[in-house]
């Protein structure tokens, strides 16, 4: 091996290139590759052909092995980009660095660097690709056209999902370019609602690992398991234990589709580099009898661990994440059951950078929709009465954020503004006479009122102006319920938020038809436009994808160390501000996804600004223009030209 002190493998622009020693060692007659590293380094070799620095960056700088690389700068929304790959403009050349310079068949099998038929004639010569590809050269734009035609030929959504996942494993940059360019069409494919079916059938469609699996078998050695992941500079971890996947229940280890899908959106919509993202599934067993008896089930075939055994595994996991990836790694909880979701968030929010998308992300995106809806119905939050069907993590999370924003706007005590917010669970309206039997997260919503058993009676007695469904129970907003809302309000706000589509409390068509076209409607899963009495209504989608990619980017680019409720309010206000008059004219309370990366940049800027204001940001000094800074931090999946 050659010492990196003798091989200047970056040029003055911070781009890949090898010095004379490496060049001399590589003969044109052979596709041999040469590794430039320091033998004495203690860092492990990356096992997934990712870029590896075998000597710490500071030491390399001392020896002038790296030029013009700022170790303190943010690079493309991800970790330090020491090879200048994403710092380069698209017309600059980079070298496809792997453990060594990637070439030949290996290069074509590396999804991070593979460009398929887009390799130029010079690149095919330089990297020993002659004969390994057909002779034609096709640019990325044409590849995108080809792939979207390929995806569209499938009629079954799960087949489209599998085709997208296969592309991600073959050609990472093409996958993200395709997803960004056709985000409205492909978002339901890579995430809700299709990801729900993918999780249900994950055992039969599983082809290769897409994330990290940590089970009870790894208890006591979770740090060692984390070291097995090939990327070392992780900034976002999305983790699930699979107990409450969307509205589908306990899917155990097969819940991996959720973290994988979420992190795809972190990159496509929020610009966080793929190498900085880590999907994890915690496998503590499953109580799903069908899975336990399925020979194709990929997880532990045992009942779920609970109590101390579960708590100890999660504590070791959280401690190991912080020890391995540092204080500022963002840990996003996904689809944990209520009893664990609230406990984990409360336990670790003061010691880790944690965010529960089901509780906080859903709350933020729904609050944004409500703030926008006020432009259509008038008044402010304090003038409205809210009724929820569903009092789990989503329902109570939304209710609490509405109360926080209302309290902030009116300078009223939180306990006072909560009285305008009512929740219905499986046993009826949550009232004070039930307080002793309620779970702790429901108790703040137990108001003075006589018991009410069903939703229709609650609507008639409470007379809400806003009806929100987070029950996970399909078709529970019946015709009678919608008609009651319409009789009490000129423009009833109806949010049917449960996922996937089959679990939605009502369809868009039902909401518009039963309210005589007067409802302001949004849902968790997408619905097509609805025509009613000659007018076309475009239903909005209260999708968490509006919030969490930009929210996460804002935390990363500011170096925020803790999530504060005010950051969620800032994200909501930023999203609501992106709804244009043109959107309002169509009855929309959310902007279209076509501009989602710009929306994410604005959300990131507002979140970062609030973090700096609260003293939670550590990346100093604060950039002057946070929107431009957010845009500059975003990963762009356009192909790079290789040497």
């Amino acid at each position: 091996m050659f010492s990196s002190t003798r091989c200047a493998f970056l040029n003055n622009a911070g781009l890949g290139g090898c010095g004379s020693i490496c060049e001399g060692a590589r003969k044109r007659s052979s596709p041999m590759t040469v590794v430039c590293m320091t033998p004495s380094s203690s860092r492990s070799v990356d096992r997934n052909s990712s870029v590896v620095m075998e000597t710490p960056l500071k030491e390399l700088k001392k020896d002038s092995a790296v030029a013009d690389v700022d170790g303190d700068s943010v690079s493309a929304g991800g970790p330090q980009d020491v090879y200048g790959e994403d710092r380069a403009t698209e017309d600059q050349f980079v070298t496809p660095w792997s453990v060594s310079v990637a070439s030949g068949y290996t290069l074509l099998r590396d999804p991070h660097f593979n460009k398929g038929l887009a390799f130029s004639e010079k690149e095919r010569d330089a990297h020993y690709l002659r004969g390994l590809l057909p002779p034609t050269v096709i640019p990325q734009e044409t590849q995108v056209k080809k792939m979207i035609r390929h995806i569209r030929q499938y009629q079954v959504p799960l087949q489209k999902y599998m085709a997208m996942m296969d592309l991600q494993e073959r050609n990472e940059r093409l996958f993200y370019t395709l997803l960004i360019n056709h985000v409205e069409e492909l978002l339901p494919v890579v995430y809700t609602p299709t990801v729900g079916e993918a999780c249900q059938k994950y055992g039969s469609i599983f082809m290769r690992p897409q994330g990290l699996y940590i089970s009870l078998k790894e208890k006591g050695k979770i740090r060692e398991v984390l070291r097995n992941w090939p990327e070392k500079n992780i900034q976002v971890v999305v983790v699930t234990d699979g107990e409450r996947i969307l509205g589908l229940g306990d899917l155990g280890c097969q819940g991996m589709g959720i973290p994988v899908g979420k992190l795809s959106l972190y990159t496509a919509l929020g610009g966080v580099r793929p190498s900085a993202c880590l999907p994890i599934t915690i496998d503590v067993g499953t109580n799903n009898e069908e899975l336990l008896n399925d020979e194709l089930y990929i997880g532990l075939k045992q009942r779920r661990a609970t109590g101390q055994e579960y708590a100890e595994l999660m504590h070791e996991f959280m401690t190991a994440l912080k020890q391995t990836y540092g204080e500022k790694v963002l840990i996003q909880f996904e689809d944990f059951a209520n009893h664990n979701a609230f406990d984990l968030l409360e336990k670790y929010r003061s010691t880790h950078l944690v965010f529960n998308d089901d509780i906080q992300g859903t709350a933020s995106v729904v609050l944004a929709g409500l703030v926008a809806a006020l432009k259509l119905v008038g008044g402010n939050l304090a003038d409205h009465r809210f009724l929820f069907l569903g009092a789990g993590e989503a329902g109570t999370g939304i209710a609490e954020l509405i109360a926080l924003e209302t309290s902030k706007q009116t300078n009223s005590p939180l306990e006072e503004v909560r009285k305008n917010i009512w929740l219905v669970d499986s046993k009826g309206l949550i009232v004070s006479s039930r307080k002793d039997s309620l779970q702790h997260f429901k108790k703040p919503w137990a108001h003075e009122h006589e018991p009410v058993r069903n939703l229709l009676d609650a609507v008639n007695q409470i007379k809400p102006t806003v009806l929100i469904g987070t029950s996970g129970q399909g078709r529970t907003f019946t015709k009678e319920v919608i008609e009651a809302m319409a009789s009490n309000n000129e423009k009833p706000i109806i949010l049917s938020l449960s996922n996937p589509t089959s679990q939605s409390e009502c369809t868009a068509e039902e909401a518009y038809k039963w309210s005589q076209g007067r409802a302001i409607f949004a849902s968790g899963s997408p619905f097509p436009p609805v025509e009613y009495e000659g007018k076309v209504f475009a239903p909005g989608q209260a999708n968490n994808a509006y919030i969490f990619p930009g929210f996460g980017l804002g935390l990363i680019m500011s170096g925020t160390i803790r999530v504060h409720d005010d950051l969620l309010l800032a994200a909501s206000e930023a999203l609501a501000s992106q709804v244009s008059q043109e959107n309002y004219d169509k009855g929309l309370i959310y902007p279209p996804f076509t501009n989602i990366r710009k929306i994410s940049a604005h959300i990131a800027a507002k979140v970062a600004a609030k973090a700096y204001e609260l003293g939670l940001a550590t990346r100093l000094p604060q950039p002057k223009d946070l929107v431009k800074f957010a845009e500059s931090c975003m990963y762009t999946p356009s192909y790079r030209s290789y040497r």
Side-chain angles (χ1 to χ4, degrees):
M1 288 193 178
F2 295 96
S3 168
S4 60
T5 59
R6 297 175 60 201
C7 178
F9 53 89
L10 294 181
N11 65 12
N12 289 335
L15 309 178
C18 212
S20 59
I21 296 177
C22 291
E23 291 169 357
R26 182 175 183 173
K27 303 298 183 182
R28 294 291 298 171
S29 60
S30 171
M32 180 185 70
T33 56
V34 179
V35 182
C36 298
M37 61 178 67
T38 301
S40 61
S41 169
S42 62
R43 292 186 62 180
S44 61
V45 174
D46 191 311
R47 304 181 188 179
N48 196 35
S49 297
S50 302
V51 175
V52 172
M53 287 294 294
E54 291 298 326
T55 302
L57 184 59
K58 292 181 180 178
E59 293 181 22
L60 286 173
K61 282 185 173 181
K62 291 178 183 176
D63 294 324
S64 301
V66 180
D68 297 338
V69 178
D70 182 2
D72 296 325
S73 65
V74 175
S75 177
Q80 295 169 351
D81 182 25
V82 295
Y83 288 100
E85 177 194 345
D86 285 311
R87 300 166 70 86
T89 58
E90 292 175 27
D91 58 349
Q92 287 179 295
F93 291 97
V94 300
T95 296
W97 281 93
S98 189
V99 174
S100 58
V101 177
S103 294
Y105 194 78
T106 301
L107 178 55
L108 296 179
R109 293 299 182 270
D110 188 335
H112 184 65
F113 298 111
N114 178 32
K115 300 196 294 184
L117 292 177
F119 283 105
S120 68
E121 298 290 347
K122 289 184 178 180
E123 288 171 335
R124 296 180 188 208
D125 285 332
H127 294 283
Y128 306 96
L129 297 174
R130 286 290 176 190
L132 299 180
L133 292 168
T136 190
V137 176
I138 298 178
Q140 189 177 27
E141 295 78 14
T142 306
Q143 288 180 319
V144 169
K145 292 179 183 178
K146 175 186 174 182
M147 283 308 305
I148 194 62
R149 289 174 188 168
H150 174 68
I151 299 296
R152 286 170 179 167
Q153 76 178 356
Y154 294 110
Q155 300 300 314
V156 179
L158 185 60
Q159 292 177 330
K160 294 184 178 185
Y161 173 88
M162 293 173 67
M164 287 294 292
M165 293 303 102
D166 181 63
L167 176 61
Q168 188 177 23
E169 291 295 321
R170 288 187 289 109
N171 188 328
E172 187 177 80
R173 288 183 179 269
L174 183 58
F175 169 83
Y176 286 113
T177 302
L178 179 67
L179 182 53
I180 291 169
N181 289 359
H182 299 276
V183 62
E184 290 191 309
E185 180 178 352
L186 294 178
L187 186 60
V189 174
V190 300
Y191 201 58
T192 55
T194 309
V195 72
E197 183 183 0
C199 288
Q200 288 177 308
K201 300 176 180 178
Y202 210 77
S204 58
I205 67 174
F206 178 82
M207 299 295 289
R208 58 184 69 84
Q210 293 179 291
L212 202 58
Y213 295 86
I214 297 176
S215 73
L216 288 170
K217 292 181 178 181
E218 282 72 58
K219 190 175 181 181
K221 47 186 176 183
I222 293 180
R223 283 198 71 187
E224 287 78 1
V225 175
L226 292 176
R227 292 194 189 103
N228 289 341
W229 187 251
E231 303 293 348
K232 306 307 174 188
N233 295 309
I234 300 300
Q235 293 187 312
V236 183
V237 172
V238 176
V239 58
T240 185
D241 71 353
E243 189 169 4
R244 192 201 58 81
I245 298 298
L246 302 176
L248 303 172
D250 186 350
L251 297 183
C253 195
Q254 296 186 168
M256 178 59 87
I258 297 297
V260 169
K262 288 280 184 179
L263 287 170
S264 295
L265 301 185
Y266 257 111
T267 297
L269 312 187
V272 179
R273 287 178 62 196
S275 60
C277 300
L278 173 55
I280 296 179
T281 291
I282 303 291
D283 186 0
V284 295
T286 179
N287 294 332
N288 187 320
E289 291 290 345
E290 185 178 344
L291 294 179
L292 291 173
N293 296 319
D294 184 358
E295 64 177 353
L296 297 180
Y297 178 54
I298 60 176
L300 293 178
K301 291 190 176 182
Q302 65 179 61
R303 294 283 177 179
R304 278 191 171 273
T306 58
Q308 185 175 352
E309 186 179 16
Y310 181 90
E312 287 176 354
L313 183 72
M314 289 304 301
H315 188 68
E316 182 188 350
F317 169 70
M318 295 297 291
T319 302
L321 281 180
K322 195 170 176 179
Q323 290 173 337
T324 305
Y325 302 122
E327 181 82 16
K328 290 178 283 188
V329 62
L330 172 60
I331 304 164
Q332 180 167 313
F333 297 120
E334 284 289 341
D335 291 353
F336 285 76
N338 290 339
H339 57 279
N340 288 323
F342 287 101
D343 290 346
L344 289 170
L345 184 61
E346 186 62 31
K347 182 175 181 179
Y348 294 107
R349 69 189 309 169
S350 62
T351 59
H352 293 66
L353 183 64
V354 292
F355 171 71
N356 187 304
D357 192 41
D358 303 301
I359 299 173
Q360 298 166 297
T362 301
S364 188
V365 75
V366 172
L367 177 60
L370 292 173
V371 170
L374 296 179
K375 297 284 184 70
L376 297 173
V377 300
N380 53 47
L381 290 174
D383 300 323
H384 289 269
R385 186 176 290 110
F386 305 86
L387 179 64
F388 287 78
L389 177 62
E393 53 195 284
T396 55
I398 298 167
E400 186 65 18
L401 203 63
I402 292 172
L404 285 169
E405 180 68 7
T406 307
S407 175
K408 175 184 171 184
Q409 291 179 0
T410 61
N411 292 319
S412 301
L414 199 58
E415 294 76 13
E416 188 65 28
V417 298
R418 281 179 178 150
K419 293 178 181 179
N420 265 351
I421 303 172
W422 297 80
L423 282 73
V424 173
D425 65 7
S426 59
K427 296 181 180 179
L429 191 67
I430 294 178
V431 293
S432 55
S433 60
R434 295 178 52 196
K435 207 162 190 176
D436 291 341
S437 62
L438 292 173
Q439 294 165 288
H440 66 89
F441 53 86
K442 296 182 181 181
K443 290 184 178 181
W445 314 104
H447 309 317
E448 288 293 335
H449 197 280
E450 65 272 14
V452 178
R453 285 294 303 166
N454 60 64
L455 178 62
L456 179 58
D457 289 342
V459 170
N460 287 325
Q461 294 184 39
I462 302 299
K463 298 190 183 304
T465 57
V466 181
L467 179 63
I468 301 175
T470 61
S471 64
Q473 302 296 317
R475 304 300 181 266
T476 43
F477 287 175
T478 62
K479 181 179 180 181
E480 292 76 17
V481 168
I482 301 296
E483 288 178 342
M485 285 292 297
S487 67
N488 294 329
N489 303 280
E490 178 62 29
K491 292 184 177 180
I493 300 174
I494 299 172
L495 306 182
S496 175
L497 303 179
S498 294
N499 286 312
T501 308
S502 60
Q503 306 304 112
S504 185
E505 284 78 10
C506 69
T507 67
E509 183 178 8
E510 290 167 345
Y512 292 124
K513 182 179 178 181
W514 293 338
S515 66
Q516 296 84 48
R518 292 188 279 118
I520 307 298
F521 177 80
S523 58
S525 291
F527 284 102
V530 175
E531 184 176 351
Y532 177 77
E533 293 188 352
K535 184 176 180 181
V536 176
F537 297 89
Q541 188 183 359
N543 194 318
N544 291 21
Y546 278 115
I547 289 291
F548 71 82
F551 186 80
L553 178 62
L555 299 178
I556 291 170
M557 74 184 204
S558 60
T560 298
I561 57 173
R562 297 290 180 269
V563 172
H564 191 281
D565 287 336
D566 282 353
L567 302 184
L568 300 170
L569 297 178
S572 296
E573 292 164 4
L575 175 57
S577 70
Q578 296 299 303
V579 185
S580 67
Q581 187 58 50
E582 182 182 356
N583 302 145
Y584 286 128
D585 292 341
K586 296 178 181 179
L588 289 170
I589 55 176
Y590 292 100
F593 268 105
T594 49
N595 296 321
I596 186 60
R597 279 172 73 96
K598 287 188 176 181
I599 294 169
S600 293
H602 281 276
I603 291 172
K606 288 289 186 181
V607 169
K610 181 59 69 172
Y612 280 109
E613 179 185 326
L614 297 175
L616 297 172
T618 62
R619 193 177 299 281
L620 301 172
Q622 177 180 341
K624 293 181 180 178
D625 190 327
L626 284 169
V627 175
K628 287 185 177 179
F629 183 63
E631 291 173 343
S632 73
C633 289
M634 284 183 164
Y635 165 87
T636 54
S638 300
Y639 288 151
R640 299 295 190 246
S641 297
Y642 299 154
R643 292 181 184 280

